[in-house]
Amino acid sequence: MTYLLPTEPFDRPLRLAVLISGGGTTLDNFQSRIDAGELPAKVAVVIASRADCRGVEKAKNYGVPTVVLPRRDFSSTEEFSENVFAACREAQADLVTLAGFLSLISIPEDFLGRVMNIHPSLIPSFCGPGFYGSHVHKAVHKRGVRTTGCTVHFADNEYDHGPIIVQKTVPVFGRDTPDDIAARVFEQECVAYPEAIALYQQGKLQIREGRVWIDGE
């Protein structure tokens, strides 16, 4: 898989497509940081895989164009993906961000290196099919690890796979519940995802031999 990444900064805010399946908390984070002038981006479209997810109402309240594409309405991953990325093209999205999007998609050639995902663990731990949302934090709690965190990565056509851009770590304490762990990780998600998007907007990311390199490192 060949990723084509920008090598120069954009001269305008990055146009984001935000893909959701749930409450839209990542959308909230993006919008609050955009409004504060901390994220050089604009949410151009929200695409939801469920009509009843809370994030749809949030998107409408933000005045963001919203497209609902229920996964069950499509017979295959390919058909579903074609419709998702058609909506991204229609919105002239520069970057597609998976924000709690639970449906597998097939990324077309013109979007390779233009799709990011965030996962609430330190990939490659606690990731892959079945590891999403609270399931991740329950597994972390059960295993008794001392450190967890979140990972932002370029998406490919596998769950929680693709070159890693940013990781943030948090401690896990013996008294923690899965909810405690989730809250601590989400605080870092709110930092990591905008950081990765800003690096992309600034043209500072390149991929060599399957690894992400950041200018200045």
Side-chain angles (χ1 to χ4, degrees), residues 155-215:
D156 56 18
N157 295 325
E158 299 180 42
Y159 282 117
D160 305 325
H161 197 261
I164 292 169
I165 306 166
V166 173
Q167 289 185 307
K168 302 290 184 183
T169 62
V170 301
V172 180
F173 303 112
R175 64 180 181 275
D176 280 342
T177 66
D179 287 345
D180 294 328
I181 298 168
R184 200 174 296 126
V185 170
F186 184 69
E187 287 180 359
Q188 292 306 308
E189 289 183 45
C190 289
V191 175
Y193 219 163
E195 180 180 323
I197 293 168
L199 289 168
Y200 186 93
Q201 194 270 348
Q202 294 159 9
K204 291 187 174 182
L205 301 176
Q206 290 300 312
I207 298 174
R208 298 196 296 272
E209 299 180 351
R211 294 178 60 191
V212 171
W213 296 82
I214 301 173
D215 284 359

Side-chain angles (χ1 to χ4, degrees), residues 71-217:
R71 175 62 182 88
R72 63 179 178 274
D73 289 355
F74 301 93
S75 60
S76 65
T77 297
E78 289 70 26
E79 182 187 8
F80 176 63
S81 301
E82 286 173 6
N83 282 268
V84 167
F85 285 101
C88 294
R89 294 187 191 98
E90 178 69 21
Q92 299 181 313
D94 301 305
L95 182 67
V96 177
T97 57
L98 308 182
F101 195 67
L102 300 182
S103 297
L104 183 66
I105 52 174
S106 179
I107 301 172
E109 187 171 340
D110 61 323
F111 275 89
L112 293 178
R114 295 172 58 194
V115 184
M116 284 186 189
N117 182 48
I118 190 162
H119 184 72
S121 77
L122 298 174
I123 291 175
S125 297
F126 305 105
C127 65
F131 284 98
Y132 61 90
S134 64
H135 297 282
V136 174
H137 306 300
K138 289 176 181 177
V140 165
H141 181 264
K142 182 176 181 180
R143 186 64 182 86
V145 299
R146 303 294 185 178
T147 303
T148 186
C150 61
T151 303
V152 184
H153 63 97
F154 285 110
D156 56 18
N157 295 325
E158 299 180 42
Y159 282 117
D160 305 325
H161 197 261
I164 292 169
I165 306 166
V166 173
Q167 289 185 307
K168 302 290 184 183
T169 62
V170 301
V172 180
F173 303 112
R175 64 180 181 275
D176 280 342
T177 66
D179 287 345
D180 294 328
I181 298 168
R184 200 174 296 126
V185 170
F186 184 69
E187 287 180 359
Q188 292 306 308
E189 289 183 45
C190 289
V191 175
Y193 219 163
E195 180 180 323
I197 293 168
L199 289 168
Y200 186 93
Q201 194 270 348
Q202 294 159 9
K204 291 187 174 182
L205 301 176
Q206 290 300 312
I207 298 174
R208 298 196 296 272
E209 299 180 351
R211 294 178 60 191
V212 171
W213 296 82
I214 301 173
D215 284 359
E217 281 190 332

